[in-house]
Amino acid sequence: MELLPGDRENLAIQTRGGPEKHEVTGWVLISPLSKEDAGEYECHASNAKGEATASAKIHVVEALHEIALTK
C-alpha cells in the first residue's frame, strides 16, 4: 500500500505564492530523512490553464564518501 503525504509524520508539503503574480511555489520537507524515504517523488498540478508534472529521486547515503562524483 502506498502512503499519502498526510500519512507520514516526517513529511510536510509546503506552498506559498510566487515567485510571479498568480503563481504558487511548492516543496516537500522530509525530516528526519531515513533510508526508507529513498525513492522517486512526483508532483502533479493542474488548473484551468493546463497541467504540469515534475519528479525527483532521493538516494540516501550513510556517509559522504558514498556519493558518486561525476564531471
Side-chain angles (χ1 to χ4, degrees), residues 8-60:
R8 298 178 51 189
E9 292 182 10
N10 69 329
L11 192 138
I13 309 267
Q14 302 286 318
T15 60
R16 69 168 184 83
E20 301 293 329
K21 187 176 181 180
H22 306 297
E23 290 184 349
V24 175
T25 298
W27 63 95
V28 174
L29 172 65
I30 304 173
S31 181
L33 184 67
S34 69
K35 284 211 176 254
E36 289 78 29
D37 298 309
E40 186 167 359
Y41 290 78
E42 295 181 359
C43 176
H44 301 268
S46 64
N47 64 18
K49 296 293 184 180
E51 298 179 2
T53 62
S55 64
K57 291 182 182 178
I58 295 178
H59 179 76
V60 181

